[in-house]
Amino acid sequence: MPTLARFTAAALLLTLAACADPSATPTATPPAPLSATPGTAGAPPPTASTLTTSSPTTSSPTTSTPTPAAEPQAADGNDLAACKDADCEVDIQAGDRLTIGERFGVQRLTISSLNADEVVIGLLGSSGGLRAEGMSVSVSGTCVNGRCRDEGNLTLTPSRPGRINNMRLELTHLADDRAILRLTPPPK
């Protein structure tokens, strides 16, 4: 086989070996020199066994960081005024005040305290028109100079909703410093 043909065959084998494994670095043993004696065929063409490839022995481990679950969002966001009609879902924090239409028998709800276990809601309503159900309920009426009103407290947890008159209150989410409160008006 002529020298040029052997050299081309070796180059072709190297190319094919490199294509088979893109991370491999092909190396080849050069063909043996041709014999100076006329009529001698010379060294055999390179074979696959004369080709060596190397691949990296170390691989960097891939680690995936779990994506934190997205916090639930309230339908009405932080818009506490959406609760005027007692039909809302709002994001609440300690100190927030929700003004409710007087036709529901309650004027204002105040988020007195909020922690990972419960939310305490302060109630303010017109005298004699405030009934509450739930955990740790207390309601009392007071009159000053002929003006009467009801005040009280109601505690909610995600598993224990409450009621004020016929309005339903429930926590759909509760964390250390934030909660989602859903108010549902009485059926018409």
Side-chain angles (χ1 to χ4, degrees):
M1 179 185 273
T3 304
L4 183 58
R6 273 189 268 165
F7 183 68
T8 304
L12 181 61
L13 282 175
L14 285 173
T15 304
L16 290 174
C19 289
D21 183 5
S23 65
T25 308
T27 58
T29 307
L34 294 176
S35 170
T37 313
T40 310
T47 63
S49 63
T50 61
L51 297 176
T52 58
T53 60
S54 64
S55 61
T57 57
T58 60
S59 63
S60 60
T62 56
T63 58
S64 62
T65 305
T67 304
E71 287 280 322
Q73 300 298 315
D76 295 308
N78 294 326
D79 184 13
L80 303 180
C83 295
K84 183 84 171 163
D85 62 355
D87 189 5
C88 64
E89 183 181 76
V90 291
D91 204 355
I92 58 169
Q93 297 177 344
D96 283 349
R97 291 180 174 201
L98 292 80
T99 303
I100 310 295
E102 288 190 39
R103 71 180 189 265
F104 299 105
V106 60
Q107 297 167 348
R108 185 177 61 224
L109 304 178
T110 303
I111 309 307
S112 301
S113 68
L114 187 151
N115 61 47
D117 298 322
E118 64 186 20
V119 173
V120 178
I121 299 176
L123 315 173
L124 177 64
S126 41
S127 179
L130 187 61
R131 293 179 320 277
E133 299 171 15
M135 292 177 43
S136 305
V137 175
S138 67
V139 176
S140 62
T142 59
C143 293
V144 177
N145 295 332
R147 293 187 163 171
C148 299
R149 65 182 186 182
D150 291 333
E151 294 179 314
N153 288 304
L154 169 65
T155 301
L156 300 176
T157 67
S159 63
R160 300 279 309 265
R163 285 196 179 278
I164 300 173
N165 298 331
N166 290 324
M167 178 179 57
R168 181 177 166 85
L169 294 85
E170 65 182 309
L171 296 175
T172 62
H173 174 74
L174 179 60
D176 291 332
D177 59 350
R178 150 181 197 272
I180 296 176
L181 175 66
R182 179 182 297 149
L183 301 183
T184 308
K188 294 180 181 183

